[in-house]
Amino acid sequence: MSEPIAPTVTDVNRGFWEGADAGELRVQRCGACGYLRYPSAAWCPECLSEDSEWQRLSGRGTVLSTLVFHQAYHPAWKDRIPYNVVLVQLDEGPRMISNVTPLGSVDIPVGTPVRVVFEREGEASIPRFEIIGE
């Protein structure tokens, strides 16, 4: 298998990746207006405040959209074809693009309830989702 793609950890997203390493899904909460934001950003897209803190989420959500890749657009994925990519509406509000495990799952209906799981790839814990009830 090819080497995994390593995330670029910055001061802005460090809390997200530290949370993943701890088995927690964390997003930024604006200190001024309370808006939950993902992906991480230096300021709030709602009020432009630079004040934020990290909040742990439940990791539960619903699949809003799904597709299956049959071509590798990066060498790290060439041994995983076909693999799914999903858009998950998290219960707390933010939306997240990820995968449902196992990656080869190709029949994932819209509306499927999911919860976050973390899979170690190289030096990073990657948040993915599993179907609830399976």
Side-chain angles (χ1 to χ4, degrees):
M1 184 188 263
S2 301
E3 288 293 314
I5 302 169
T8 302
V9 179
T10 67
D11 289 341
V12 173
N13 68 16
R14 188 173 320 281
F16 176 82
W17 293 110
E18 288 175 349
D21 283 341
E24 298 178 356
L25 184 59
R26 297 179 189 165
V27 299
Q28 291 172 313
R29 174 182 287 283
C30 178
C33 73
Y35 181 78
L36 292 175
R37 64 182 183 256
Y38 177 84
S40 308
W43 59 87
C44 177
E46 293 292 308
C47 73
L48 302 180
S49 172
E50 294 180 14
D51 183 29
S52 69
E53 59 188 25
W54 291 98
Q55 178 170 326
R56 181 180 180 180
L57 301 183
S58 69
R60 292 178 173 268
T62 305
V63 173
L64 280 184
S65 179
T66 181
L67 61 101
V68 176
F69 279 67
H70 294 277
Q71 178 178 344
Y73 292 96
H74 188 280
W77 291 88
K78 70 181 171 100
D79 297 327
R80 302 177 187 204
I81 299 297
Y83 64 90
N84 66 71
V85 176
V86 294
L87 176 62
V88 173
Q89 174 71 60
L90 297 169
D91 287 354
E92 292 86 354
R95 293 179 177 175
M96 183 176 202
I97 296 173
S98 186
N99 314 100
V100 169
T101 61
L103 292 176
S105 301
V106 295
D107 185 21
I108 306 165
V110 169
T112 299
V114 293
R115 70 175 155 239
V116 75
V117 294
F118 295 90
E119 294 186 345
R120 196 78 184 164
E121 291 204 16
E123 299 298 314
S125 293
I126 307 299
R128 294 201 167 102
F129 291 86
E130 66 182 5
I131 296 172
I132 295 175
E134 289 193 3

